[in-house]
Amino acid sequence: MTVFTALASVNWIAVLLSVVAYTVLGGLWFAGLFAKHYAASLGRESTPKPEQPALFFGGPAVATLFVVTTTAALMRALDINAVGDALVFALVIGIGFLAANTVIIAINPNMPRPLFYSLISGSYHLVGIVITALILVAFG
């Protein structure tokens, strides 16, 4: 099965549930669990939190829709339908693409603590993609 064929057979309810779970995790992760550490990774621990435009709320959810849809299509194309296989797939994607790409993005002159930022954001994406893979495999 090709990825394009697999995309046609994606369970969209599972995709939407995954997007909601991944997005809620992001809110909890960055605004709750690791809010102070995240601010420190950005060099903003002593500055007041700026007002956030709608883009900062809706943008990540839309991007997450693309990540989850791609994950669902790849899992279909690779015929991943067991929890163990879904976990291995999620770890490969989470570490090899999502966390690694976070490091690539963070290493730039505008990021005061790129490795700290990468640890916080990369681990969020790793947890998010594991949750996504488990939801997708649960809904077949």
Side-chain angles (χ1 to χ4, degrees):
M1 176 182 303
T2 69
V3 174
F4 295 113
T5 306
L7 192 56
S9 65
V10 162
N11 182 329
W12 292 103
I13 292 173
V15 166
L16 292 177
L17 287 173
S18 296
V19 169
V20 169
Y22 208 140
T23 302
V24 168
L25 175 67
L28 294 171
W29 199 272
F30 294 107
L33 295 171
F34 299 103
K36 290 180 184 179
H37 298 296
Y38 184 61
S41 76
L42 296 170
R44 296 182 179 160
E45 60 270 35
S46 61
T47 59
K49 191 174 181 179
E51 190 68 30
Q52 303 294 334
L55 175 66
F56 287 89
F57 297 102
V62 171
T64 299
L65 175 63
F66 284 96
V67 170
V68 170
T69 301
T70 302
T71 302
L74 288 171
M75 287 178 67
R76 281 278 191 203
L78 295 170
D79 197 28
I80 295 173
N81 50 29
V83 170
D85 293 336
L87 286 173
V88 170
F89 177 78
L91 290 172
V92 168
I93 296 300
I95 295 168
F97 286 118
L98 299 173
N101 196 47
T102 300
V103 174
I104 292 167
I105 291 167
I107 298 176
N108 72 70
N110 298 313
M111 189 69 64
R113 299 182 70 190
L115 297 180
F116 190 38
Y117 172 87
S118 298
L119 177 65
I120 294 166
S121 295
S123 58
Y124 154 70
H125 286 295
L126 181 59
V127 172
I129 205 68
V130 166
I131 291 169
T132 293
L134 292 175
I135 291 171
L136 293 172
V137 81
F139 282 82

